[in-house]
């Protein structure tokens, strides 16, 4: 049995959102080195501001400037910063109640070590040198001594307001496919396609899952399927995908390999996109050094009768 595989994977995409009047003013204010909160119906000032009162659900629009100094209400030390965090060196995550605010703002505190951080500590904003209208315009907080800093007296009205942001979302993780898919991937490296048969219903699943999704029992009986198969359904792709060097339009299809009871996903090549059809008989095409088929192409056999694959559509 091959060693169970693991692989580092990254899921990353840009998240674009528009801003309402409150968030727009808050982020535009940060660009101008002004921190704005919003006043609730009972007179509290919320920083960061929100558009609706969390207690009454009333709409909030009364913007209030607060000071760039404040007090640490709680904290946690971060000894090993990760990619994309505010500081590269070890720092403290802190909740800071800015002077004039009734709620706390989460950000980073640049401190030499955990012994130099405490609840009740006075801190101030360290502004980023380049500011664009984002929470990162606050580079971090830093310890300070002395009285409350005076707000600038800004009204909250700005020219060229920030109306939208693009926030990168990224997840780095280690994926372990498990025993069943490890066996499947090892067979693909030998240009064989191997699934597993359920001992109860006798269906063959590809890729194998280690358990039958219908019966819920473990599957260990290996079954080689294909290599030929039948297109059961398909879609035409008209949008160029990032980092995918394929001329559009192209076709992705569900392909029922001979001997399998579950269709897999694969690209169809070697034929104009408008000639792909249900029932088309195809075979895998491997490229040099690839661990899986690059695409599937027609193998010259007559189209399969619909009744032979209708349960897999």
């Amino acid at each position: 049995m091959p060693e169970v595989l693991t692989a580092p994977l990254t899921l990353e995409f840009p998240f674009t959102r528009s801003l309402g009047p409150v968030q727009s003013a808050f982020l535009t204010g940060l660009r101008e080195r002004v921190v704005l909160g919003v006043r609730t119906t009972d007179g509290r000032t919320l920083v960061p501001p929100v558009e609706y009162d969390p207690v009454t659900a009333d709409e909030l629009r009364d913007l209030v400037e607060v000071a760039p100094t404040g007090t640490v209400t709680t904290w946690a030390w971060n000894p090993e910063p990760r990619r994309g965090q505010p500081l590269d060196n070890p720092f403290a995550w802190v909740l800071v109640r800015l002077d004039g605010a009734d709620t706390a703002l989460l950000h980073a505190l640049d401190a030499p070590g955990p012994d130099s951080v405490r609840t009740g500590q006075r801190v101030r904003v360290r502004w980023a040198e380049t500011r664009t209208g984002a929470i990162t315009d606050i580079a971090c907080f830093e310890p300070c001594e002395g009285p409350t800093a005076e707000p600038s007296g800004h009204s909250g009205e700005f020219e060229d307001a920030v109306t939208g942001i693009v926030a990168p979302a990224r997840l780095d993780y280690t994926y372990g496919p498990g025993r069943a898919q490890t066996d499947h991937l090892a067979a693909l490296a030998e240009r064989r396609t191997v699934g597993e048969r359920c001992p109860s219903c006798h269906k063959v699943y590809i890729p194998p899952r280690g358990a039958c999704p219908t019966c819920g029992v473990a599957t260990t009986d290996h079954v080689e399927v294909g290599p030929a198969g039948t297109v059961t359904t398909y879609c035409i792709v008209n949008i160029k995908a990032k980092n995918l060097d394929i001329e559009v339009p192209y076709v992705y299809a569900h392909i029922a390999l001979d001997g399998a009871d579950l269709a897999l996903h694969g690209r169809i090549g070697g034929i104009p996109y408008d000639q792909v059809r249900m029932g088309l008989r195809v075979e895998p095409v491997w490229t040099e050094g690839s661990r899986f088929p690059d695409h599937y192409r027609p193998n010259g056999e007559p189209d399969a009768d619909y009744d032979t694959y209708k349960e897999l559509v």
Side-chain angles (χ1 to χ4, degrees):
M1 178 183 297
E3 181 182 356
V4 175
L5 301 175
T6 60
L9 291 181
T10 298
L11 176 65
E12 184 174 21
F13 60 91
F15 177 71
T16 303
R17 60 159 293 185
S18 58
L19 301 173
V22 172
Q23 297 298 322
S24 174
F26 175 65
L27 294 180
T28 306
L30 296 184
R31 187 189 67 195
E32 305 302 324
R33 299 178 61 160
V34 172
V35 183
L36 294 174
V38 68
R39 183 174 286 123
T40 65
T41 51
D42 61 1
R44 294 177 301 125
T45 298
L46 309 182
V47 179
V50 293
E51 296 179 344
Y52 296 92
D53 192 311
V55 176
T56 66
D58 292 338
E59 187 175 10
L60 303 177
R61 291 293 182 268
D62 186 11
L63 297 170
V64 181
E65 185 184 0
V66 300
T69 53
T71 303
V72 173
T73 63
T74 190
W75 61 278
W77 187 251
N78 182 11
E80 297 181 3
R82 297 184 179 183
R83 177 186 182 273
Q85 291 187 336
L87 298 172
D88 294 331
N89 53 281
F91 64 90
W93 288 112
V94 289
L95 284 172
V96 177
R97 186 172 60 244
L98 294 172
D99 298 328
D102 294 289
T103 56
L105 172 72
L106 175 65
H107 216 294
L109 173 64
D110 191 4
D115 293 340
S116 63
V117 185
R118 67 184 186 280
T119 298
Q121 183 175 13
R122 296 288 293 165
V123 296
R124 66 186 171 204
V125 170
R126 180 191 296 168
W127 295 104
E129 292 186 7
T130 302
R131 298 178 301 282
T132 60
I135 191 61
T136 51
D137 291 350
I138 299 177
C140 63
F141 282 87
E142 59 189 15
C144 73
E145 300 295 339
T148 300
E150 291 296 326
S152 68
H154 202 286
S155 65
E157 296 292 332
F158 301 96
E159 295 182 358
D160 189 25
V162 178
T163 59
I165 59 173
V166 178
R170 180 184 173 109
L171 174 65
D172 293 284
Y173 64 102
T174 299
Y175 173 69
R179 189 273 313 161
Q181 290 196 29
T182 292
D183 293 347
H184 171 68
L185 294 172
L188 284 178
E190 301 172 353
R191 300 194 175 187
R192 299 182 301 115
T193 306
V194 173
E196 290 186 349
R197 178 184 287 114
C198 172
S200 177
C201 68
H202 306 295
K203 289 184 176 180
V204 175
Y205 293 101
I206 180 73
R209 306 176 182 184
C212 175
T214 302
C215 306
V217 298
T219 56
T220 58
D221 184 15
H222 289 180
V223 178
E224 186 167 346
V225 300
T230 301
V231 172
T232 63
T233 188
Y234 63 92
C235 69
I236 298 173
V237 182
N238 291 291
I239 300 175
K240 181 72 173 178
K242 182 180 180 181
N243 298 327
L244 188 61
D245 188 20
I246 300 176
E247 183 179 352
V248 295
Y250 57 90
V251 175
Y252 264 97
H254 278 127
I255 302 166
L257 296 182
D258 296 346
D261 294 288
L262 184 70
L264 54 77
H265 197 207
R267 182 171 65 89
I268 305 299
I271 184 175
Y273 73 93
D274 56 358
Q275 293 183 21
V276 177
R277 57 197 179 271
M278 295 173 65
L280 180 69
R281 294 285 293 164
V282 294
E283 63 185 5
V285 176
W286 303 80
T287 57
E288 185 67 29
S290 174
R291 294 180 61 92
F292 50 86
D294 178 72
H295 63 276
Y296 288 79
R297 66 186 176 194
N299 67 357
E301 296 179 6
D303 288 1
D305 186 86
Y306 178 71
D307 286 339
T308 64
Y309 63 87
K310 65 181 180 181
E311 298 299 327
L312 300 176
V313 173

